[in-house]
Amino acid sequence: NSTLRHLRLTQTEMNPKAVLKVAEGLQLNKALVTLDVSYCNLGAAAGAFAAALKENSTLKTLNLGCNDIPSDKLALLAGALAANRTLTELNLRGCRLTDASVIAMVVALRTNTSLTALDFSFNSGPFGQAAARDLGVALSFNTTLQRLNVSSNELGTGVRDVIAGLRANTTLTALSLMYNDVADGTAMEIADFLETNTTLTYLNLSNNEIGDEGACAIARALLRNSTLTTLCLARNPFTESAVRQFLFALETNATLTEFDLKFTSTAMLELLARNKARAEGYFDTKPAMCLP
């Protein structure tokens, strides 16, 4: 087929022979740009896509999400990713990634020059410190990745390794760290990173364990950060005391336009609206409301 550009086979029970046929077709196909085989019970057959990625020069988006893929087959995919120069989005959400799987993938990130979006989220077991450390190292070398989702992986203090790698990264603009047991100490590391980072525009820290100390550190970072436009902190255990610090920070910060947290006030909404108007080129001389 020379005209089909998008193929969605999600939630299709595919036997190994069917998977092999799709993969073999992908090797020869010169038109397809999007392939979704999520929830297809691929298992070991997913390894067949490795050869396809080495040969195919048109596919840009591959969704393998929610398939239980063995580590050795993911290693084959990682090898193909290192050589591929056209794939821009790869989804491995909920693929039961192990430490070995993640490490193989992030090693490929060191040399891959085309991938811009990678989803490692919602894998059943924790990555572990070794994988988090290797991910951080890969991010310090990678120069093309723009969006990274590592939510729901129980990274804990491993998030610090990811942030350490991002200090040398100048391309990532969106990072999701939901459900990763991020506590105050790690939140303070993130705050320190935000003070000097000039590329990240979206950061999701929802559903973590950030209390007042960590939240206040992030609020102080917003006084210096001038690139972040979206910050998500909903369902964290900080109190209204930290929210007041965010409100104070927004009096100075002129770039944050979307802020998701459990407490909002009219004053905060007005400050966010002011920033959004500035970003869109509209200016309102009416002063924003402030807490007394």
Side-chain angles (χ1 to χ4, degrees):
N1 188 294
S2 60
T3 57
L4 186 67
R5 293 176 60 80
H6 306 282
L7 180 58
R8 188 169 183 264
L9 297 171
T10 185
Q11 296 182 334
T12 303
E13 287 289 329
M14 300 175 68
N15 61 47
K17 286 185 178 180
V19 175
L20 186 59
K21 286 292 184 183
V22 173
E24 287 177 346
L26 192 59
Q27 283 184 281
L28 303 173
N29 186 281
K30 303 297 182 184
L32 201 68
V33 295
T34 302
L35 176 61
D36 184 350
V37 286
S38 58
Y39 294 96
C40 285
N41 195 28
L42 298 180
F49 288 102
L53 286 178
K54 287 182 178 180
E55 299 295 329
N56 182 280
S57 59
T58 57
L59 193 71
K60 293 187 176 298
T61 301
L62 177 60
N63 188 348
L64 296 169
C66 300
N67 285 292
D68 191 356
I69 305 175
S71 294
D72 59 333
K73 304 307 178 186
L74 277 166
L76 291 176
L77 286 167
L81 184 62
N84 183 280
R85 293 293 176 268
T86 53
L87 196 71
T88 59
E89 297 188 21
L90 177 61
N91 190 331
L92 293 170
R93 175 189 179 100
C95 285
R96 299 181 183 272
L97 301 182
T98 63
D99 260 5
S101 304
V102 176
I103 290 171
M105 282 291 171
V106 299
V107 167
L109 279 181
R110 295 191 191 188
T111 55
N112 179 279
T113 57
S114 62
L115 205 66
T116 60
L118 179 60
D119 191 340
F120 275 154
S121 66
F122 289 90
N123 283 283
S124 59
F127 277 18
Q129 295 300 310
R133 185 169 56 250
D134 275 30
L135 178 56
V137 171
L139 289 172
S140 69
F141 284 96
N142 184 275
T143 58
T144 54
L145 198 67
Q146 297 173 17
R147 305 193 309 275
L148 176 64
N149 188 349
V150 287
S151 297
S152 194
N153 286 309
E154 303 175 33
L155 289 179
T157 57
V159 169
R160 299 185 186 191
D161 292 309
V162 176
I163 296 301
L166 286 178
R167 290 181 185 274
N169 182 288
T170 58
T171 54
L172 199 78
T173 60
L175 176 64
S176 184
L177 292 165
M178 296 170 58
Y179 293 103
N180 268 307
D181 301 324
V182 175
D184 282 342
T186 301
M188 292 172 75
E189 292 274 351
I190 294 171
D192 183 68
F193 159 74
L194 287 176
E195 287 193 8
T196 56
N197 180 266
T198 58
T199 55
L200 205 65
T201 61
Y202 173 93
L203 177 61
N204 193 336
L205 292 168
S206 299
N207 300 89
N208 280 294
E209 301 298 328
I210 301 172
D212 283 352
E213 189 176 16
C216 287
I218 293 173
R220 288 191 295 271
L222 292 180
L223 293 171
R224 296 187 178 183
N225 184 283
S226 59
T227 52
L228 201 67
T229 60
T230 301
L231 176 61
C232 304
L233 282 165
R235 292 171 293 281
N236 277 284
F238 55 81
T239 67
E240 289 190 55
S241 175
V243 175
R244 284 193 289 271
Q245 292 298 312
F246 281 114
L247 187 57
F248 174 76
L250 282 173
E251 289 284 359
T252 300
N253 181 288
T255 53
L256 198 70
T257 58
E258 302 292 336
F259 194 13
D260 181 19
L261 75 169
K262 61 182 178 182
F263 300 100
T264 54
S265 65
T266 301
M268 184 171 290
L269 292 174
E270 288 199 2
L271 288 167
L272 291 170
R274 176 205 64 187
N275 288 352
K276 190 171 185 179
R278 285 176 175 174
E280 294 173 351
Y282 300 102
F283 295 90
D284 188 349
T285 56
K286 179 182 175 181
M289 289 178 60
C290 301
L291 281 178

